Amino acid sequence: MVEDSAFHGRGQPVLAAGVLAAGSDGQVWFTIKNTGQATARDLRAELALPAGITYAGASSSADAWACASPAGSSTVVCTLSGLAGLSSGSLTLGVRVAEQFAAAEADLGLTLAGGVTQAGTVVHALVQPAPARLALDLTSNAALVVGIAAFVMVPVRNAGGVHTGSLRVDVRMPAEIHWEGNGPSAWTCLEGADPRDLVCTIGSVAPRTAAPLPLTLRADDDALGQLAALAIVATQAESAEPVRGEVAVTIRPAPVELAVSSPGRVTAVAGAPTWIQLTVADVGWANAANAADAVVGVAAPPGVSG
């Protein structure tokens, strides 16, 4: 008779020293004990997972629990046909902790049901923060106008859950792009033996924090029509594994800048034609050929016709 059976659950996470870690997979296990005389049949265990922790599959076990988590659900449902009286069984589940999980502790709620008996328990699982990890968020192109210095951001970020050590970013520029300094930031940059190479450094970066590197760059005319890119290699003191990427740079032509000069003053004789020489010059970075269709308008004062 199931009325004569009783059970309770107790559990603790058992990853390394009993601690889960953000950014990795781990396990939680529960010992479920039937303290009654009769077999507890049709057991059902429901494990509620907090945001940032997902079900990664049931581990092999001699107790033959069948587990599943419906798509989009934060609950894992496990069933067992029966547990003999005065015996215990184990339920082991794999979980995946998101890298961005920031809490030091996760509450895992377990509800057990079998026959007419129901019990619940909460497991307080310690969660170690994810280790520091460099990321380059290269999601969009930078843009430069020929001859005009402008900021180009190298999007460096600490995606992990602890502070980084000192960071280094090596930048390799195309020959047609020149470095003219840095924008306001904590980064320090120096040219290498080859002026196309930059070595930039910064101290520690906080967890889950962006540390964009602003470079002041200028493009030559020769860069037009080319696919320009900055080659990036980012490293941190504690890791031998560099993070590599490219910042694509679109080179746009400079706008035509025209200047008109004149003698300033001329002497005209009434009724007689007078010639005035105007000089039109392209004073911008754009090639003068781009100004071939330029039009100069001249407004004459009252009484003067052109």
Side-chain angles (χ1 to χ4, degrees), residues 92-136:
T92 303
L93 300 174
V95 295
R96 180 169 296 120
V97 185
E99 182 182 50
Q100 61 270 27
F101 193 91
E105 188 174 90
D107 291 340
L108 311 177
L110 180 68
T111 301
L112 299 168
V116 297
T117 309
Q118 182 165 320
T121 186
V122 175
V123 177
H124 304 289
L126 297 179
V127 182
Q128 291 179 339
R133 181 178 68 84
L134 289 184
L136 297 173

Short mmCIF file of all heavy atoms in Angstrom, two decimals, residues 92-136:
data_model
loop_
_atom_site.label_atom_id
_atom_site.label_comp_id
_atom_site.label_asym_id
_atom_site.label_seq_id
_atom_site.Cartn_x
_atom_site.Cartn_y
_atom_site.Cartn_z
N THR A 92 20.77 11.68 -10.55
CA THR A 92 21.88 12.55 -10.95
C THR A 92 21.54 13.22 -12.27
O THR A 92 21.20 12.55 -13.24
CB THR A 92 23.19 11.75 -11.10
OG1 THR A 92 23.47 11.08 -9.87
CG2 THR A 92 24.36 12.68 -11.43
N LEU A 93 21.64 14.55 -12.28
CA LEU A 93 21.28 15.32 -13.47
C LEU A 93 22.45 16.20 -13.89
O LEU A 93 23.14 16.79 -13.05
CB LEU A 93 20.07 16.21 -13.19
CG LEU A 93 18.78 15.50 -12.78
CD1 LEU A 93 17.72 16.52 -12.41
CD2 LEU A 93 18.29 14.60 -13.91
N GLY A 94 22.64 16.27 -15.19
CA GLY A 94 23.64 17.19 -15.73
C GLY A 94 23.03 18.56 -15.95
O GLY A 94 21.89 18.68 -16.42
N VAL A 95 23.76 19.62 -15.59
CA VAL A 95 23.29 20.98 -15.80
C VAL A 95 24.39 21.79 -16.47
O VAL A 95 25.58 21.47 -16.38
CB VAL A 95 22.88 21.66 -14.47
CG1 VAL A 95 21.67 20.96 -13.86
CG2 VAL A 95 24.03 21.68 -13.49
N ARG A 96 23.97 22.83 -17.15
CA ARG A 96 24.90 23.74 -17.84
C ARG A 96 24.67 25.14 -17.27
O ARG A 96 23.56 25.65 -17.30
CB ARG A 96 24.67 23.70 -19.33
CG ARG A 96 25.58 24.62 -20.14
CD ARG A 96 25.47 24.31 -21.62
NE ARG A 96 25.95 22.97 -21.91
CZ ARG A 96 25.20 22.00 -22.45
NH1 ARG A 96 23.93 22.24 -22.76
NH2 ARG A 96 25.70 20.79 -22.68
N VAL A 97 25.75 25.73 -16.76
CA VAL A 97 25.66 27.07 -16.16
C VAL A 97 26.20 28.08 -17.17
O VAL A 97 27.32 27.94 -17.67
CB VAL A 97 26.48 27.14 -14.85
CG1 VAL A 97 26.26 28.49 -14.17
CG2 VAL A 97 26.07 26.01 -13.90
N ALA A 98 25.39 29.10 -17.46
CA ALA A 98 25.79 30.11 -18.44
C ALA A 98 27.00 30.90 -17.95
O ALA A 98 27.16 31.13 -16.75
CB ALA A 98 24.62 31.05 -18.71
N GLU A 99 27.82 31.32 -18.89
CA GLU A 99 29.01 32.09 -18.54
C GLU A 99 28.64 33.38 -17.81
O GLU A 99 29.35 33.83 -16.90
CB GLU A 99 29.81 32.41 -19.80
CG GLU A 99 31.10 33.17 -19.54
CD GLU A 99 31.84 33.50 -20.83
OE1 GLU A 99 31.21 34.03 -21.77
OE2 GLU A 99 33.05 33.23 -20.91
N GLN A 100 27.53 33.98 -18.18
CA GLN A 100 27.14 35.27 -17.59
C GLN A 100 26.42 35.12 -16.26
O GLN A 100 25.98 36.11 -15.67
CB GLN A 100 26.27 36.07 -18.56
CG GLN A 100 24.96 35.41 -18.95
CD GLN A 100 25.08 34.53 -20.17
OE1 GLN A 100 26.14 34.00 -20.47
NE2 GLN A 100 23.98 34.39 -20.91
N PHE A 101 26.28 33.89 -15.75
CA PHE A 101 25.63 33.69 -14.45
C PHE A 101 26.48 34.38 -13.38
O PHE A 101 27.64 34.05 -13.17
CB PHE A 101 25.51 32.20 -14.15
CG PHE A 101 24.60 31.88 -13.00
CD1 PHE A 101 23.25 31.63 -13.20
CD2 PHE A 101 25.08 31.83 -11.70
CE1 PHE A 101 22.40 31.35 -12.15
CE2 PHE A 101 24.24 31.55 -10.64
CZ PHE A 101 22.90 31.30 -10.86
N ALA A 102 25.88 35.36 -12.68
CA ALA A 102 26.66 36.22 -11.79
C ALA A 102 26.45 35.92 -10.32
O ALA A 102 27.27 36.36 -9.48
CB ALA A 102 26.32 37.69 -12.06
N ALA A 103 25.39 35.19 -9.94
CA ALA A 103 25.13 34.94 -8.53
C ALA A 103 26.13 33.94 -7.95
O ALA A 103 26.62 33.05 -8.65
CB ALA A 103 23.70 34.42 -8.35
N ALA A 104 26.42 34.07 -6.67
CA ALA A 104 27.35 33.15 -6.01
C ALA A 104 26.67 31.86 -5.57
O ALA A 104 27.33 30.90 -5.21
CB ALA A 104 27.99 33.83 -4.80
N GLU A 105 25.34 31.85 -5.62
CA GLU A 105 24.59 30.68 -5.19
C GLU A 105 23.35 30.53 -6.05
O GLU A 105 22.73 31.52 -6.44
CB GLU A 105 24.19 30.83 -3.72
CG GLU A 105 23.58 29.60 -3.09
CD GLU A 105 23.35 29.78 -1.60
OE1 GLU A 105 22.24 30.25 -1.24
OE2 GLU A 105 24.26 29.47 -0.81
N ALA A 106 23.02 29.29 -6.36
CA ALA A 106 21.82 29.01 -7.15
C ALA A 106 20.89 28.13 -6.34
O ALA A 106 21.33 27.14 -5.74
CB ALA A 106 22.21 28.32 -8.46
N ASP A 107 19.62 28.48 -6.32
CA ASP A 107 18.62 27.69 -5.61
C ASP A 107 17.96 26.73 -6.59
O ASP A 107 17.30 27.16 -7.55
CB ASP A 107 17.56 28.59 -4.98
CG ASP A 107 18.12 29.41 -3.82
OD1 ASP A 107 19.17 29.02 -3.29
OD2 ASP A 107 17.51 30.44 -3.48
N LEU A 108 18.12 25.43 -6.35
CA LEU A 108 17.52 24.39 -7.18
C LEU A 108 16.38 23.76 -6.38
O LEU A 108 16.61 23.14 -5.34
CB LEU A 108 18.55 23.33 -7.56
CG LEU A 108 19.89 23.84 -8.10
CD1 LEU A 108 20.82 22.67 -8.35
CD2 LEU A 108 19.68 24.65 -9.37
N GLY A 109 15.16 23.93 -6.84
CA GLY A 109 14.00 23.44 -6.10
C GLY A 109 13.57 22.07 -6.59
O GLY A 109 13.25 21.89 -7.77
N LEU A 110 13.57 21.07 -5.69
CA LEU A 110 13.17 19.71 -6.05
C LEU A 110 11.86 19.37 -5.35
O LEU A 110 11.75 19.47 -4.13
CB LEU A 110 14.25 18.71 -5.63
CG LEU A 110 13.94 17.24 -5.96
CD1 LEU A 110 13.95 17.02 -7.47
CD2 LEU A 110 14.94 16.31 -5.27
N THR A 111 10.88 18.93 -6.13
CA THR A 111 9.60 18.47 -5.59
C THR A 111 9.45 16.99 -5.94
O THR A 111 9.63 16.59 -7.10
CB THR A 111 8.43 19.26 -6.19
OG1 THR A 111 8.61 20.65 -5.87
CG2 THR A 111 7.11 18.79 -5.61
N LEU A 112 9.11 16.17 -4.93
CA LEU A 112 8.96 14.73 -5.11
C LEU A 112 7.52 14.34 -4.86
O LEU A 112 6.88 14.83 -3.92
CB LEU A 112 9.87 13.97 -4.13
CG LEU A 112 11.37 14.22 -4.25
CD1 LEU A 112 12.09 13.66 -3.04
CD2 LEU A 112 11.89 13.61 -5.53
N ALA A 113 7.00 13.45 -5.66
CA ALA A 113 5.63 12.97 -5.48
C ALA A 113 5.57 11.48 -5.77
O ALA A 113 6.24 11.00 -6.70
CB ALA A 113 4.66 13.72 -6.38
N GLY A 114 4.81 10.74 -4.98
CA GLY A 114 4.64 9.31 -5.20
C GLY A 114 3.45 8.83 -4.42
O GLY A 114 3.41 8.97 -3.20
N GLY A 115 2.47 8.27 -5.10
CA GLY A 115 1.26 7.86 -4.40
C GLY A 115 0.56 9.08 -3.84
O GLY A 115 0.21 10.01 -4.57
N VAL A 116 0.33 9.11 -2.53
CA VAL A 116 -0.35 10.24 -1.91
C VAL A 116 0.63 11.11 -1.13
O VAL A 116 0.21 12.02 -0.42
CB VAL A 116 -1.46 9.73 -0.95
CG1 VAL A 116 -2.52 8.98 -1.73
CG2 VAL A 116 -0.87 8.86 0.15
N THR A 117 1.92 10.83 -1.26
CA THR A 117 2.91 11.55 -0.47
C THR A 117 3.67 12.52 -1.35
O THR A 117 4.02 12.21 -2.47
CB THR A 117 3.90 10.56 0.19
OG1 THR A 117 3.16 9.56 0.86
CG2 THR A 117 4.81 11.27 1.18
N GLN A 118 3.94 13.70 -0.84
CA GLN A 118 4.69 14.71 -1.58
C GLN A 118 5.66 15.41 -0.63
O GLN A 118 5.34 15.65 0.54
CB GLN A 118 3.75 15.73 -2.23
CG GLN A 118 4.49 16.78 -3.06
CD GLN A 118 3.54 17.53 -3.98
OE1 GLN A 118 2.64 16.94 -4.57
NE2 GLN A 118 3.74 18.83 -4.10
N ALA A 119 6.84 15.71 -1.12
CA ALA A 119 7.85 16.39 -0.31
C ALA A 119 8.67 17.30 -1.21
O ALA A 119 8.75 17.10 -2.42
CB ALA A 119 8.76 15.39 0.40
N GLY A 120 9.26 18.30 -0.63
CA GLY A 120 10.07 19.23 -1.41
C GLY A 120 11.33 19.63 -0.65
O GLY A 120 11.39 19.57 0.58
N THR A 121 12.32 20.01 -1.39
CA THR A 121 13.56 20.48 -0.78
C THR A 121 14.20 21.48 -1.73
O THR A 121 13.91 21.49 -2.93
CB THR A 121 14.53 19.32 -0.50
OG1 THR A 121 15.66 19.80 0.23
CG2 THR A 121 15.05 18.69 -1.79
N VAL A 122 15.06 22.33 -1.21
CA VAL A 122 15.79 23.31 -2.01
C VAL A 122 17.27 23.08 -1.81
O VAL A 122 17.75 22.99 -0.68
CB VAL A 122 15.43 24.75 -1.62
CG1 VAL A 122 16.29 25.74 -2.40
CG2 VAL A 122 13.95 25.02 -1.89
N VAL A 123 17.99 22.94 -2.91
CA VAL A 123 19.44 22.78 -2.87
C VAL A 123 20.07 24.14 -3.13
O VAL A 123 19.80 24.78 -4.14
CB VAL A 123 19.91 21.77 -3.93
CG1 VAL A 123 21.43 21.68 -3.93
CG2 VAL A 123 19.30 20.42 -3.68
N HIS A 124 20.91 24.57 -2.22
CA HIS A 124 21.64 25.83 -2.40
C HIS A 124 23.01 25.49 -2.98
O HIS A 124 23.93 25.10 -2.25
CB HIS A 124 21.78 26.56 -1.06
CG HIS A 124 20.46 26.83 -0.40
ND1 HIS A 124 19.56 27.77 -0.87
CD2 HIS A 124 19.88 26.28 0.69
CE1 HIS A 124 18.50 27.78 -0.10
NE2 HIS A 124 18.66 26.89 0.86
N ALA A 125 23.13 25.58 -4.28
CA ALA A 125 24.37 25.20 -4.95
C ALA A 125 25.29 26.42 -5.10
O ALA A 125 24.88 27.45 -5.64
CB ALA A 125 24.05 24.62 -6.33
N LEU A 126 26.50 26.29 -4.61
CA LEU A 126 27.48 27.35 -4.81
C LEU A 126 27.91 27.36 -6.27
O LEU A 126 28.05 26.31 -6.91
CB LEU A 126 28.69 27.13 -3.90
CG LEU A 126 28.43 27.17 -2.40
CD1 LEU A 126 29.72 26.91 -1.64
CD2 LEU A 126 27.83 28.51 -1.99
N VAL A 127 28.13 28.57 -6.81
CA VAL A 127 28.52 28.72 -8.22
C VAL A 127 29.76 29.58 -8.29
O VAL A 127 29.74 30.75 -7.90
CB VAL A 127 27.39 29.35 -9.07
CG1 VAL A 127 27.83 29.44 -10.53
CG2 VAL A 127 26.11 28.53 -8.95
N GLN A 128 30.83 29.00 -8.77
CA GLN A 128 32.05 29.78 -8.98
C GLN A 128 31.88 30.66 -10.23
O GLN A 128 31.26 30.24 -11.20
CB GLN A 128 33.25 28.86 -9.18
CG GLN A 128 33.66 28.09 -7.94
CD GLN A 128 34.83 27.18 -8.20
OE1 GLN A 128 35.10 26.82 -9.35
NE2 GLN A 128 35.53 26.80 -7.15
N PRO A 129 32.42 31.88 -10.21
CA PRO A 129 32.33 32.72 -11.40
C PRO A 129 33.13 32.16 -12.55
O PRO A 129 34.11 31.42 -12.35
CB PRO A 129 32.91 34.07 -10.92
CG PRO A 129 33.79 33.71 -9.77
CD PRO A 129 33.16 32.53 -9.10
N ALA A 130 32.72 32.49 -13.74
CA ALA A 130 33.46 32.08 -14.93
C ALA A 130 34.82 32.75 -14.94
O ALA A 130 34.96 33.90 -14.52
CB ALA A 130 32.67 32.45 -16.19
N PRO A 131 35.86 32.07 -15.42
CA PRO A 131 37.17 32.72 -15.49
C PRO A 131 37.17 33.88 -16.47
O PRO A 131 36.28 33.98 -17.34
CB PRO A 131 38.08 31.59 -15.98
CG PRO A 131 37.16 30.63 -16.68
CD PRO A 131 35.87 30.72 -15.94
N ALA A 132 38.11 34.78 -16.30
CA ALA A 132 38.23 35.91 -17.23
C ALA A 132 38.41 35.39 -18.65
O ALA A 132 39.14 34.42 -18.89
CB ALA A 132 39.40 36.80 -16.83
N ARG A 133 37.74 36.02 -19.59
CA ARG A 133 37.85 35.61 -21.00
C ARG A 133 37.75 36.83 -21.90
O ARG A 133 36.78 37.60 -21.81
CB ARG A 133 36.75 34.60 -21.37
CG ARG A 133 36.85 34.12 -22.82
CD ARG A 133 35.79 33.09 -23.14
NE ARG A 133 34.44 33.64 -23.13
CZ ARG A 133 33.88 34.26 -24.18
NH1 ARG A 133 34.56 34.44 -25.30
NH2 ARG A 133 32.63 34.72 -24.09
N LEU A 134 38.73 37.01 -22.75
CA LEU A 134 38.71 38.13 -23.69
C LEU A 134 37.80 37.81 -24.86
O LEU A 134 37.77 36.68 -25.36
CB LEU A 134 40.11 38.43 -24.21
CG LEU A 134 41.10 39.05 -23.21
CD1 LEU A 134 42.41 39.38 -23.92
CD2 LEU A 134 40.53 40.29 -22.59
N ALA A 135 37.07 38.81 -25.31
CA ALA A 135 36.22 38.67 -26.49
C ALA A 135 36.38 39.92 -27.34
O ALA A 135 36.59 41.02 -26.84
CB ALA A 135 34.77 38.48 -26.09
N LEU A 136 36.30 39.73 -28.65
CA LEU A 136 36.30 40.84 -29.61
C LEU A 136 34.93 40.86 -30.27
O LEU A 136 34.57 39.93 -30.99
CB LEU A 136 37.40 40.64 -30.66
CG LEU A 136 38.84 40.65 -30.16
CD1 LEU A 136 39.81 40.26 -31.28
CD2 LEU A 136 39.21 42.02 -29.60
#
